[in-house]
Each structure stands twice: as structure tokens, then as C-alpha cells.
Amino acid sequence: MQQKPRAYEVQLAVIGSGLAGFAASIFALERGLSTAQVGNTGAVAYTTGYLDLLGYHPVTGQQMLHDPWQGLETLRRDEPGHPYALIRNDEIADAFHLFTRAVSDMGVNYSAPGENNLAALTPSGTFKPTLSVPLTMLPGVEAHRRAARTRIVDILGLKGFSAREVVANLQDSWPGLSAVTINFPGMESGSQVYPEVMARALQVPAERELFAQQLREVAGDAEYLGLPAIMGIHEPDAVHNDLERLSGLRLFEIPTMPPAVAGIRLREAFEQIFPERGLLLIPQQKVDRVTPEADGTTLRLKDSYGDVSIHAQAVILATGRFLSGGLEALRDGVREALLNLPVTQPEGREAWYRERYFDPRGHLVNRAGIEIDPQFRPLGRDGKPASKRLFAAGVILAHQDWIRQRCGAGIAIASAYKAVESAAAMLTRQT
Ligand SMILES: Cc1cc2nc3c(=O)[nH]c(=O)nc-3n(C[C@H](O)[C@H](O)[C@H](O)COP(=O)(O)OP(=O)(O)OC[C@H]3O[C@@H](n4cnc5c(N)ncnc54)[C@H](O)[C@@H]3O)c2cc1C
């Protein structure tokens, strides 16, 4: 096939296809900006699907936050360098509402972000504080709150999800809980089954009928059945509703170990629907080179059809951390991989980790990242914005520990909102 170079001209280019990149594209399209996005699969395929705002008190560390909005006030006081210190609560709330509404419109419905954190089930039968959950998972929050008679179902051949483990970890606080194992239709041999494959199989109505029959047979007197997250990839709410109708039972999903279906749903919804809404999406590719020019910035990459260049007036860097390749850990320090922006990091590698893995203070390397100004522009080595056209969003930002603070999606969504707002203001000033 002959390869032809392709060149595009847009107002905004987003580098990265994680939650921050996708959130940035949602906000940019809402503002009517012509937008391009480039990125390959990132941490999004690993997430539980829960959208965390802030789950743990930054100082006491161990205290699960009931009111994350109040927690944010404390966080800003105690950690003035945290990215949340640059975003007001009303802006964060706005960002969450816009994001969950847009994702729901794409066919993956989310609960409306509220005043308090929800206690959401993890694959191992513990709870995590989170702000918004997929509607397929919400009845699990309800069932626990009501301590309703609930049966956790696992599937023969499915690794990393054990109904007995969930029950063993929860039975003290949830007495009406029991466990059962079923076969996935057609997989009675017990050979390994995979969440993504089962989820795609349940898109098929005939498969749902067989599966619902299995559920009916093991339900006993349970009010709710909790299943690993396998209820479809596209339009999971329709699959969930249909399975409830066919089984006559109240069902909910529990996230499985990564790569998990909830993240795959988001990625496929974004990749399918964004281009229909006008986004120039170049999926599964990485930007190789970024060249600043007088009238904009040019991103360059190569895909299987040849060279691509995107000339943009503004760029948002949302390349994530080590897992996604936004940051690189080298022998002599942590480096920002694409633009070689300075990275705030501990002095020397021996300071990266504390002695105990579960040290409640967290590990210093997890707070490494790039510095930004209040307009979310990355700072260069002279402490000034590296470019008036460059903005940053997501967990690449310094001074946050999303794992320990349970704030991964929140930082991604809220910082993308601010980065797009600042980019839009710059574009307006320019015209
Ligand atoms: C196992 C796991 C479980 C999680 N569970 C939760 C949870 O329950 N709740 C929650 O709120 N958060 C959770 N998170 C965190 C959440 O996924 C992250 O906070 C969020 O994905 C960060 O988004 P991001 O866009 O900043 O980075 P990422 O998701 O890491 O995305 C970065 C993107 O940049 C791309 N990229 C890198 N370099 C380039 C380049 N040169 N050109 C183009 N693209 C590039 C990558 O391919 C990737 O697409 C979890 C994360 C993991 C790993």
C-alpha cells in the first residue's frame, strides 16, 4: 500500500488517551474547539471504572473520607502544591458533572456525583471511597448499605475473582452474604474464561437467556446477586437491564482485576463515539516529536498508513506516569519522556521508596511529576511557562499521590477541565 503523508490543522491537540486526555477532548468539543487527540492504550483499561475524587485524608492517611469536598479544603491547606489546590470545588463539581453526563450519553451510564463518597466494592471484597460509579455497579452500594441478603457469584475458570474471598472479607459487616460458583454457558469444562470475552458474549441475546437461567437456579432467597463485571462492553446498562428482566433478580457488577471490562467499555465508547462528534482521533499511536513554531505547534507521528503531522494552536500534554510512558524512571532520575520538561522528584534514587511498602505516608517517587502554573502551563527550567501554547493535565502533574489519596480520576477530570479552560482563553486572546 502506498503511504501518503497526512497533515491536519486544529485549534487544540491532546496528547494522551487516558482519562485526562479523553476528559480534555470532551470539554474541548463542548466548547466547540476543533480538536485532535493522539494516544495509545493507557491506564484506562486498568481502572475499576469507579471515578474517585478524594478518598483518604491526606494527613491522617488511614481515615476514609465520607465528605470528599470537605476533604479537599483540608488538602489545600495541608498540601498547597497539590493540583487540587489550583481548582475550586465548584469547578471540580462542574467537571465531574460534564464528564459523567458525556460518558452516560455515550452509553456507559454513571451515577450523578453527589455530596458524599460511595463505599464501592473492590475485587477482593473490601470497600473503596469513590464519587461516581457505573450504574451497573450502583446496586452493590445499595445492597451493602441495606445489608440486604446478597449472593456473590463467581464463574468456574475465572481467575482473580473469588466469591468466597469477597464473602470471607465482608461477612462480619454484612451478615446476609453468601457465595456460589456457576458455569458460564458453554464453558462447563472449567477451562479458563476471561471477563472481556464473557462480556462480549453477553452482548448476544441468546447467550443472556442461558446465563440468566444459571443465575435463577442459584439465587436461592437472595435479594441481590453480585457478579464479576461482565455485563457487556457496549451499552452495558441495556445488558444489565435485560439480565435483570430475564432472571427476575436484582443484579450488580463488581470490578475484576485489570485489565477490567469497565475500563475497556470507556475506551471503546470514546473511540467509537468521539470521531462521530468531530474529534480527529488517532488511536493506538504515540506522538514522536513536538516542534514549537511561531504560529502554533506541530506534532509528528507515524502510523501504518504513513507520516502524520498535526498543526495545533494549543496542546494539552496528558501522557500519564510510568505505566503509560509519560514519565521515565532512569538510573539518574525521573524524566518527562516527550518534551524533556523538568520533573520535580526526590533527591536521588534511594529517596524514591520508603522502607516499608505499605508505609501510610506513601512513597516520594509517586509524587514526582511536572510543575504547572495556575493556567496549567508546564514550567520550564527557568520556572516560567515552557510555552504559552502548552498545557498539562492528569497524573503527570507533581505533588499528588493518586494511589494513596484515591484521587486518580478526579485529578484527570478536574485538571483537564482547567487545562481546556486556559487553552480556550489563550485561543480567544489570540483571535
Ligand atoms: C490498576 C489501576 C486501577 C485504577 N483504578 C482506579 C479507580 O478505581 N478509580 C480512579 O479514579 N482511578 C483509578 N485508576 C487511576 C486512573 O486510571 C488514572 O488516574 C487515570 O487513568 C490517569 O489518567 P491520565 O490520563 O492522567 O493518565 P493515563 O491513563 O496513564 O493515560 C496517559 C495516556 O498518554 C498516552 N501517552 C503517553 N505517551 C504518549 C505519547 N508520546 N504520545 C501519545 N500518547 C502518549 C498513553 O498511551 C495513555 O493513553 C487506576 C489506575 C490503575 C493503573
Side-chain angles (χ1 to χ4, degrees):
M1 188 192 320
Q2 185 166 12
Q3 297 193 330
K4 266 204 326 217
R6 281 154 294 149
Y8 301 100
E9 178 78 43
V10 289
Q11 286 176 294
L12 177 69
V14 178
I15 310 179
S17 296
L19 281 181
F22 281 121
S25 291
I26 287 174
F27 302 138
L29 292 179
E30 289 254 348
R31 286 174 179 271
L33 301 178
S34 65
T35 305
Q37 185 178 343
V38 186
N40 55 8
T41 303
V44 75
Y46 293 87
T47 69
T48 55
Y50 298 149
L51 303 179
D52 303 348
L53 171 57
L54 184 65
Y56 282 91
H57 187 287
V59 175
T60 59
Q62 299 305 304
Q63 190 68 42
M64 189 162 136
L65 284 172
H66 182 58
D67 178 350
W69 304 101
Q70 183 56 45
L72 285 169
E73 305 290 355
T74 318
L75 175 72
R76 292 189 188 100
R77 192 194 62 211
D78 295 336
E79 296 186 23
H82 198 284
Y84 277 149
L86 296 174
I87 321 171
R88 298 191 314 264
N89 278 7
D90 63 308
E91 294 172 320
I92 298 175
D94 222 26
F96 259 88
H97 282 289
L98 281 173
F99 183 82
T100 49
R101 206 175 55 217
V103 173
S104 298
D105 285 349
M106 291 178 189
V108 185
N109 280 288
Y110 268 79
S111 66
E115 297 293 311
N116 294 315
N117 272 330
L118 305 170
L121 270 167
T122 69
S124 52
T126 55
F127 287 101
K128 70 174 290 188
T130 193
L131 193 68
S132 172
V133 304
L135 287 194
T136 53
M137 298 182 183
L138 190 61
V141 177
E142 239 168 64
H144 169 246
R145 198 164 40 218
R146 294 182 42 222
R149 269 192 323 280
T150 300
R151 187 156 282 185
I152 307 296
V153 179
D154 64 17
I155 295 169
L156 190 69
L158 173 62
K159 298 217 163 120
F161 183 87
S162 157
R164 284 173 57 200
E165 183 190 2
V166 172
V167 173
N169 283 332
L170 288 174
Q171 60 196 0
D172 289 345
S173 63
W174 194 347
L177 207 57
S178 57
V180 68
T181 301
I182 62 170
N183 299 319
F184 195 78
M187 297 301 289
E188 291 77 8
S189 68
S191 53
Q192 192 169 352
V193 290
Y194 298 90
E196 183 177 348
V197 178
M198 291 188 282
R200 292 193 195 279
L202 288 176
Q203 299 279 151
V204 179
E207 196 71 15
R208 290 205 285 274
E209 285 188 23
L210 294 172
F211 189 64
Q213 189 183 331
Q214 303 264 45
L215 298 179
R216 273 200 309 273
E217 283 168 13
V218 298
D221 65 351
E223 258 185 90
Y224 291 84
L225 291 191
L227 309 168
I230 56 166
M231 295 191 207
I233 298 284
H234 305 285
E235 304 199 335
D237 303 284
V239 174
H240 180 222
N241 291 341
D242 199 39
L243 281 170
E244 287 198 331
R245 181 186 65 79
L246 289 165
S247 65
L249 297 161
R250 196 84 180 92
L251 306 176
F252 64 86
E253 289 189 320
I254 302 169
T256 56
M257 301 304 265
V261 160
I264 298 170
R265 281 177 189 148
L266 287 179
R267 193 187 64 214
E268 293 203 4
F270 291 140
E271 289 186 357
Q272 187 183 333
I273 298 195
F274 269 146
E276 292 167 11
R277 300 200 175 158
L279 180 77
L280 170 67
L281 179 64
I282 305 185
Q284 308 307 334
Q285 300 299 331
K286 277 192 154 184
V287 171
D288 300 324
R289 223 159 8 115
V290 177
T291 317
E293 286 146 5
D295 61 343
T297 299
T298 298
L299 316 184
R300 291 196 172 77
L301 61 131
K302 206 180 184 62
D303 66 11
S304 37
Y305 301 101
D307 293 326
V308 180
S309 69
I310 301 168
H311 185 256
Q313 299 300 307
V315 173
I316 294 180
L317 183 74
T319 47
R321 303 180 70 73
F322 304 103
L323 182 66
S324 296
L327 297 180
E328 282 177 339
L330 305 176
R331 294 202 72 77
D332 55 351
V334 178
R335 184 177 163 270
E336 188 282 309
L338 186 60
L339 303 167
N340 199 21
L341 291 165
V343 174
T344 297
Q345 55 190 290
E347 293 269 334
R349 279 166 61 112
E350 54 294 341
W352 284 8
Y353 295 101
R354 298 189 198 274
E355 206 163 309
R356 282 185 306 122
Y357 184 73
F358 291 113
D359 191 313
R361 292 168 299 172
H363 301 287
L364 290 176
V365 72
N366 291 342
R367 287 178 177 262
I370 60 172
E371 298 283 346
I372 46 169
D373 75 352
Q375 276 76 52
F376 284 72
R377 292 177 299 193
L379 302 183
R381 284 173 216 290
D382 57 1
K384 299 199 180 113
S387 157
K388 68 171 187 174
R389 300 183 185 280
L390 180 65
F391 304 84
V395 293
I396 193 172
L397 304 180
H399 307 297
Q400 48 80 28
D401 182 349
W402 70 264
I403 300 177
R404 192 149 295 274
Q405 299 177 319
R406 297 285 190 275
C407 61
I411 289 183
I413 295 167
S415 61
Y417 178 89
K418 290 297 284 182
V420 171
E421 180 185 75
S422 297
M426 187 277 286
L427 291 168
T428 309
R429 280 196 303 274
Q430 193 177 260
T431 51

